[in-house]
Amino acid sequence: MENLLLLHGALGAASTLAPLKQALAITYNVYTLDFAGHGGQALPEQGYSIELFADNVLAFMNEQQLEQVHIFGYSMGGYVGLYLAHQHPTRVKSVFTLATKFAWSEESAAKETKLLNPEKIKEKVPQFATILAERHVPQPWEDVMRQTASMMQQLGANPTLTPAILAAIQQPVQVAVGDADTMVSLEETIDTYRTLPNARLLVLPATKHPLEMIAGSRLQHEIQLFTASVRAPLPV
């Protein structure tokens, strides 16, 4: 069986991908990991960055002796997967992104980070605060959120995936987005699809941003269809 690595999104953890991992385990050798500062991992002194998370993935692959993997990345995980594909092209066989935000600017970063206010979340969405606390224990979820906001601001000022980098990624990529996603626009997803030289576009109908609101069976089917279309492994 081929290797499939699932990468979680911002504020997420490997645990959020457990149902999908279980569903796909029949077809693939499936792996998940927690990025630094997520899922109880120590908060990095240098703060969050896409480059750091890509290094986390590469280190994990080396530890697990995985020469090549297909990557499925949800939201921020897709951004990390594409960056890794550019930096280490022989290690990544394909990338499937879902609900990944590509159009980073100072304006879009300000819009997203405005929502990442721990005090307001405790007040207005206490259930979500409880989920985050359990997901990231023993690390304070408030610090996880603050570092995520800081990373988004950095992306707004200097996006990691520039058009030139996207245009240089040769691996097969499937770019997917829900048509009801209010965080990631259809327009930015299409722009990225058109910039990538070897890409497919998938628009999921009546689908919002949260992963748990997407039918697992549909996602499992789409991942299987896409990876089956990647015929030959890249040279090691």
Side-chain angles (χ1 to χ4, degrees), residues 151-220:
M151 180 184 69
M152 288 181 175
Q153 291 170 344
Q154 294 170 23
L155 285 171
N158 295 290
T160 306
L161 292 178
T162 63
I165 287 178
L166 290 171
I169 296 172
Q170 298 299 318
Q171 294 94 325
V173 178
Q174 179 140 299
V175 184
V177 68
D179 63 359
D181 193 327
T182 57
M183 182 176 294
V184 180
S185 69
L186 184 58
E187 290 75 17
E188 70 188 272
T189 307
I190 292 174
D191 285 345
T192 300
Y193 153 72
R194 289 174 172 165
T195 303
L196 290 160
N198 189 13
R200 295 182 176 195
L201 175 66
L202 174 65
V203 180
L204 299 172
T207 301
K208 297 182 179 180
H209 187 80
L211 181 63
E212 60 271 17
M213 297 181 69
I214 301 173
S217 58
R218 173 68 188 277
L219 194 51
Q220 176 187 359

Side-chain angles (χ1 to χ4, degrees), residues 10-236:
L11 303 180
S15 60
T16 63
L17 295 164
L20 183 61
K21 179 180 180 180
Q22 182 177 4
L24 291 164
I26 301 173
T27 313
Y28 308 91
N29 299 314
V30 190
Y31 300 85
T32 57
L33 74 151
D34 292 304
F35 292 132
H38 294 76
Q41 298 293 315
L43 289 160
E45 292 183 5
Q46 70 270 42
Y48 291 174
S49 70
I50 299 301
E51 294 85 351
L52 172 64
F53 296 153
D55 287 343
N56 294 162
V57 177
L58 187 62
F60 176 83
M61 288 176 62
N62 290 338
E63 289 169 4
Q64 298 294 321
Q65 299 182 342
L66 302 175
E67 288 299 322
Q68 287 187 330
V69 296
H70 296 282
I71 289 179
F72 167 80
Y74 167 68
S75 195
M76 179 191 71
Y79 205 95
V80 174
L82 286 175
Y83 180 73
L84 185 70
H86 176 262
Q87 294 297 107
H88 300 277
T90 62
R91 305 296 299 274
V92 179
K93 193 171 180 181
S94 72
V95 182
F96 187 131
T97 74
L98 172 64
T100 296
K101 184 160 191 64
F102 297 104
W104 286 104
S105 65
E106 293 184 353
E107 181 180 2
S108 66
K111 178 182 177 182
E112 298 302 327
T113 56
K114 186 178 180 181
L115 303 174
L116 301 182
N117 184 315
E119 298 308 317
K120 287 186 178 179
I121 288 175
K122 289 177 186 177
E123 177 186 350
K124 296 184 177 181
V125 200
Q127 301 93 334
F128 185 46
T130 299
I131 290 172
L132 291 177
E134 294 173 349
R135 181 180 296 168
H136 300 293
V137 66
Q139 305 303 331
W141 70 268
E142 298 91 338
D143 291 344
V144 174
M145 182 167 285
R146 292 187 186 100
Q147 288 212 20
T148 298
S150 178
M151 180 184 69
M152 288 181 175
Q153 291 170 344
Q154 294 170 23
L155 285 171
N158 295 290
T160 306
L161 292 178
T162 63
I165 287 178
L166 290 171
I169 296 172
Q170 298 299 318
Q171 294 94 325
V173 178
Q174 179 140 299
V175 184
V177 68
D179 63 359
D181 193 327
T182 57
M183 182 176 294
V184 180
S185 69
L186 184 58
E187 290 75 17
E188 70 188 272
T189 307
I190 292 174
D191 285 345
T192 300
Y193 153 72
R194 289 174 172 165
T195 303
L196 290 160
N198 189 13
R200 295 182 176 195
L201 175 66
L202 174 65
V203 180
L204 299 172
T207 301
K208 297 182 179 180
H209 187 80
L211 181 63
E212 60 271 17
M213 297 181 69
I214 301 173
S217 58
R218 173 68 188 277
L219 194 51
Q220 176 187 359
H221 177 66
E222 294 294 349
I223 292 171
Q224 290 171 336
L225 281 179
F226 172 63
T227 57
S229 72
V230 182
R231 300 182 181 277
L234 294 170
V236 177

